[in-house]
Amino acid sequence: MRNFLFFIFFLFSIHSFSQNNMNRGYKVNVGDLAPEINLELLDGQIVTNESLIGKVVVIQFTASWCSVCIKEMPHLEQEVWQRFKDDDFILIGVDLKENLEVVKNFIKNTEVTYPFTIDKDGSFFESFTLPKAGVTRNIVIDKTGKISFLTRLFDKKEFQQMIEHIDQLLN
């Protein structure tokens, strides 16, 4: 009986580790086709999977209440958007479940210029993540529509790897 309980504990531990550390809250993987994208940007432009073919895309999930997001956004603006915006590239900020006035103030306060949209009900976010996953995520999608890089939180080393990956995809 003791060995059986240990075995059950061991299996539960492996499952918990894989949910929290291996996939970091994602239900998508590198190499998967991106889930359905049908977004209306704040400027009125409609963005879909089809309209993004031929571009390298970074989808940044964020929110005004997220301190890690706020820390990351100037880096996204300067090191990613300003560097690649004139290439076949788009960075889309996706605010999670906030109203338009809050998002406009958030954009103004963080001084970002990349395109933004609002995921009003969180369904777009949940097409990439497991239930109750945390925000502060970047998803890189290659020119064919496949997920090619995933980040979680703001780790400078991982962020640099993402920039190098984007550069490789564009060149």
Side-chain angles (χ1 to χ4, degrees):
M1 179 68 165
R2 187 175 186 181
N3 287 342
F4 177 75
L5 290 175
F6 177 77
F7 179 72
I8 297 299
F9 175 75
F10 177 74
L11 287 178
F12 178 78
S13 298
I14 289 173
H15 177 72
S16 295
F17 177 79
S18 69
Q19 290 296 305
N20 297 326
N21 295 317
M22 299 296 272
N23 63 20
R24 301 184 297 166
Y26 281 106
K27 66 181 176 188
V28 296
N29 295 297
V30 169
D32 291 352
L33 279 174
E36 181 182 356
I37 299 172
N38 188 5
L39 303 172
E40 181 177 353
L41 303 180
L42 296 184
D43 68 3
Q45 179 183 353
I46 303 296
V47 177
T48 64
N49 299 71
E50 294 78 24
S51 71
L52 296 172
I53 296 297
K55 294 182 185 282
V56 174
V57 180
V58 173
I59 297 173
Q60 176 225 5
F61 287 108
T62 189
S64 67
W65 46 262
C66 171
S67 62
V68 178
C69 301
I70 293 167
K71 180 180 176 182
E72 179 187 58
M73 289 172 76
H75 297 278
L76 282 167
E77 173 69 25
Q78 292 304 315
E79 299 168 47
V80 178
W81 180 239
Q82 292 302 321
R83 178 174 174 183
F84 299 117
K85 70 180 182 178
D86 295 325
D87 296 326
D88 290 327
F89 175 81
I90 187 168
L91 167 60
I92 302 171
V94 180
D95 185 272
L96 189 58
K97 299 182 183 179
E98 297 185 294
N99 71 50
L100 182 58
E101 286 308 310
V102 169
V103 174
K104 284 182 177 179
N105 284 329
F106 180 40
I107 292 167
K108 181 181 175 189
N109 291 338
T110 55
E111 300 179 342
V112 296
T113 62
Y114 49 87
F116 247 83
T117 190
I118 302 171
D119 185 8
K120 293 177 182 160
D121 64 359
S123 60
F124 183 61
F125 179 69
E126 291 171 1
S127 70
F128 290 90
T129 63
L130 295 168
K132 301 185 189 230
V135 75
T136 315
R137 295 174 183 277
N138 297 300
I139 293 108
V140 180
I141 301 170
D142 70 16
K143 291 181 179 187
T144 69
K146 290 184 180 176
I147 296 168
S148 64
F149 201 90
L150 300 166
T151 73
R152 173 73 179 112
L153 297 172
F154 178 59
D155 174 77
K156 288 188 182 216
K157 182 178 177 184
E158 182 178 57
F159 192 83
Q160 265 320 115
Q161 290 171 340
M162 180 183 74
I163 292 170
E164 291 167 13
H165 183 75
I166 294 166
D167 191 48
Q168 290 173 354
L169 290 173
L170 289 168
N171 292 312

